[in-house]
Amino acid sequence: MCSSDLTGGVLGNTSNLVTVPAVQSPGLSLEKTVNPTKVTAAGQSVAYSFLVENTGNVDLSEVSVVETGFSGTGTAPTPSCPGTTLAPGAQMTCTAPYTVTQADMESGSVLNTAHAAGEAPGGSPVTSSPSSAALTATPLADLSIEKTASNPELVPGSDQTYTLKVHNHGPSTAKNVKAVDPIPAETTFVSASAGCTEAAGTVTCALAELASGGTHEFIIVTEVAPNATGEIANAAHVESGTTDPEPGNKDRKSTRLNSSHITI
């Protein structure tokens, strides 16, 4: 600012400097992500990333990421940051690993929410808006079935015992497993192992769940008609309430019966 000073008839200029204090405007932002965004089995690991940025005009100290909400059932992720200070406009990425549990798979998702926190000059707290990352849990269970006969050559009129071997190749537990075996013409149902029922000529064997890597066997006994002739086709298949990534191995056929023997 300038003022005019008239002294002794002489016009002089005197400059007065005025200092205006800058307005401090601290700020933080947080962007949270998870990689991968989908998992298919318990025991799989994911990595959370937290991009923290100083959006204000002053240096920030004691910068960290604070978890505020986590729906997972395992050990909650603990963010690790490469530093604790951020200059205006600066960024840093914090990380945290997490291992998915079976309970997470059964719930179908894991939601994680956090915010960034720090201190402005003078110690006043600074907090970002919350940011969330959703992890989708989609169980997959690759089931296969193998059907074998106790006697590959059987005289009509005799009993035949079949074994249905169901295997879960994983990666997740299969829920509500069913092995279904229609009884072919010229044979009749005799008996089956626990968990199996026969209705309208079809045997259904149920299992509440089958763990990844697990195998379960069902036994079915039928009687071949004494006058059975020609060929008899018999097919069993397995199904479950869990998505199968390889549906092509869910069926197994047993075929070719003639008047003197049955071939599996």
Side-chain angles (χ1 to χ4, degrees):
M1 296 177 64
C2 297
S3 62
S4 297
D5 184 18
L6 184 61
T7 305
V10 178
L11 180 65
N13 290 330
T14 302
S15 296
N16 295 320
L17 180 62
V18 178
T19 301
V20 179
V23 177
Q24 292 187 353
S25 180
L28 276 172
S29 69
L30 174 66
E31 181 181 358
K32 181 174 186 176
T33 57
V34 61
N35 183 46
T37 58
K38 296 180 180 180
V39 289
T40 57
Q44 294 179 347
S45 296
V46 299
Y48 289 100
S49 294
F50 311 81
L51 179 61
V52 183
E53 181 178 358
N54 182 345
T55 57
N57 61 359
V58 294
D59 292 341
L60 298 178
S61 61
E62 303 300 325
V63 179
S64 64
V65 173
V66 180
E67 295 277 8
T68 57
F70 182 64
S71 67
T73 58
T75 302
T78 302
S80 175
C81 300
T84 59
T85 61
L86 282 178
Q91 297 177 335
M92 68 176 176
T93 299
C94 306
T95 58
Y98 178 66
T99 301
V100 178
T101 68
Q102 182 61 38
D104 295 337
M105 296 303 303
E106 293 173 359
S107 71
S109 65
V110 175
L111 183 64
N112 195 346
T113 303
H115 68 254
E119 292 184 3
S124 59
V126 183
T127 304
S128 74
S129 296
S131 180
S132 298
L135 176 65
T136 300
T138 304
L140 299 177
D142 179 16
L143 294 179
S144 66
I145 186 169
E146 180 182 358
K147 182 174 184 177
T148 58
S150 59
N151 189 348
E153 295 186 0
L154 183 66
V155 176
S158 301
D159 286 350
Q160 177 69 296
T161 299
Y162 295 102
T163 300
L164 304 183
K165 183 182 291 185
V166 179
H167 183 72
N168 182 4
H169 302 272
S172 293
T173 297
K175 301 286 188 178
N176 301 319
V177 179
K178 292 182 180 180
V180 181
D181 189 6
I183 302 300
E186 297 191 274
T187 63
T188 56
F189 172 76
V190 176
S191 63
S193 57
C196 300
T197 58
E198 186 271 337
T202 296
V203 179
T204 301
C205 300
L207 193 64
E209 63 180 40
L210 184 60
S212 176
T215 299
H216 190 88
E217 294 184 353
F218 298 103
I219 305 298
I220 300 174
V221 180
T222 63
E223 180 183 2
V224 181
N227 60 346
T229 59
E231 295 185 354
I232 294 177
N234 181 219
H237 73 271
V238 63
E239 59 191 49
S240 81
T242 306
T243 301
D244 193 326
E246 298 288 342
N249 56 359
K250 295 172 65 175
D251 298 278
R252 176 65 69 177
K253 293 183 178 180
S254 170
T255 59
R256 302 188 64 80
L257 170 72
N258 62 35
S259 60
S260 60
H261 69 274
I262 182 170
T263 301
I264 301 301

